[in-house]
Amino acid sequence: MIPVLLLLIPLITGLTAFFIKHENGARSWALFSSIATLVVTLLGITVFNKYQYLSSDCAWLPMLGSRFTLVLDGMGKLLALLTAIAFPLIFVSTWKSRYKDANQFFGLMLLSQAGLLLVFMAMDALLFYFGWEIALIPAYFLCSKWGGEKRIQATFKFFVYTFAGSLLMLIGLIYLYFQTPDQTFAINAFYELKLSVKEQSWLFWLFFVAFAIKMPIFPFHTWQPDTYEQSPTAVTMVLSGVMVKMGVFALIRWLLPVLPYGTYMWGDTATSMAVIGMIYASLIAIKQDDIKRLVAYSSIAHIGLMCVAIFAYTEVGMKGAILQMFNHGINIIGLWIVVELIERQYGTRKMSELGGLAQNSPVLAIFLVVLAFANIALPLTNAFVGEFLMFNGIFSSTITKYNVVFTVVAGLSIILAAIYTLNMVQKVFYGNTNTLTSTGYTLGGNEKLALGVLVIVILYFGVYPQPLFDLSQDTVTNIMERIKINL
């Protein structure tokens, strides 16, 4: 019942939004829809937190062996919660942004939300693939129609990368489908497959490249900074706050349990790519003058650490990565909101043209400082516990002999993150004001609400993360047991 509602609400309201002609009407409709989705999600993980309410199964495409199977397990709940929190905050914080053909903009945003929720709940490979595409296709149109001056080039690169990744994943899914005894796309049938080491070796790369493009992991990341920079900030929030989690999620749900030997064989290679990407992205972030590109490269480094922790094959590392998927989404959406406010007020994102905002905008400065501390995982912020667990998991890994090297090199990215994040705070909010920034910026009620909610979430889960662990524990246990059985 709950999974079906979570899918139908954004799907139906998204399609309906295309028929709403008035801009404020479409905006209000999208906000209403996102709040309804959030309410159903909260009811699902609290009042109706029983398996029979959190699953749905019915015939869908019997001739293809595919069923409409949705389940909200622990990791699904956490990411559904992140998705449900993100969209109303995005709509509220960008309430003053104006869009041509606003009904189409908000309709596509809601359809993208439906696709994301389908990805996080699908227990059928074909259904998972449908959700993957439903989430991405609206993003292409949102970037290409409402983006910046170079949006066509950026969207084309985004399309080529993601299309190639989707094609590779589809080939892999079809191959696995034909290996199942009953010709089915059911996830449990995939889990039970006894594939040879050789099969797992080449199948690993079909799936890993598809997921690595979406996260993204070096060297498949080059679409990301351009797309983030050229997209409307609301879309950038969706891409970086929620959509990149599809790749990390898919590693845990679809790659490790289905191809454990392939993951074991290529784990060090994948980890090396992620670690290189972390250092490379951090160094590039230090050089940036554009805040939006700085945050984009920062995201590559943070996602890379999750990838390293997952391939460490430890329970504590897995817990940290799942926890960090939620926390990273919260933190980076907050940073994007601040970037949006600065660009809207001053017409620039260049740090060299800004400065001294804290003198006339102290409330905004306080919000940014908390978000910056969370971005560098300072203790008492939500990211600290997740990063601590991930490093613990990487260091204690017994599946690789390079665990110490990976831990040390990945740890350097944390130092670099502190450098570029605090440098950004210093250049934008402190020092002297100039003719551009002397006017200051007074936060509106909607902006205070969005940033206030995010800061409360950051501090609450920084002090008491246990509810998030409780939500994800069943997934961690199941995945780790399945890996141990198959290896």
Side-chain angles (χ1 to χ4, degrees), residues 39 53 87 105 147 154 209 235 256 300 312 320 405 449:
V39 170
Y53 297 118
F87 274 78
F105 180 87
V209 171
V235 179
L256 268 67
I300 294 175
V405 176
L449 174 64

Side-chain angles (χ1 to χ4, degrees), residues 1 34 45 112 305 404 477:
M1 177 184 73
S34 62
I45 62 178
S112 185
L305 181 57
V404 176
T477 303

Side-chain angles (χ1 to χ4, degrees), residues 27 31 34 85-99 106 109 233-235 237-238 332-342 344 441 443-452 454:
R27 192 185 306 276
L31 179 60
S34 62
I85 291 174
F87 274 78
L89 291 178
I90 291 170
F91 292 141
V92 167
S93 63
T94 58
W95 192 260
K96 296 178 183 175
S97 299
R98 297 298 163 202
Y99 306 103
F106 289 109
M109 287 284 283
T233 303
V235 179
M237 292 181 201
V238 175
I332 201 161
I333 287 172
L335 288 173
W336 287 127
I337 291 175
V338 174
V339 173
E340 160 77 5
L341 297 179
I342 291 173
R344 192 193 308 153
Y441 181 74
L443 286 171
N446 58 320
E447 294 152 355
K448 286 181 183 175
L449 174 64
L451 288 170
L454 290 170

Side-chain angles (χ1 to χ4, degrees), residues 58 115 220 252 307 396:
C58 62
F220 306 107
I252 299 172
C307 181
S396 61

Side-chain angles (χ1 to χ4, degrees), residues 297-318:
Y297 280 108
S298 163
S299 180
I300 294 175
H302 284 96
I303 295 293
L305 181 57
M306 297 176 210
C307 181
V308 177
I310 291 168
F311 281 105
Y313 265 53
T314 59
E315 183 169 337
V316 67
M318 188 78 71

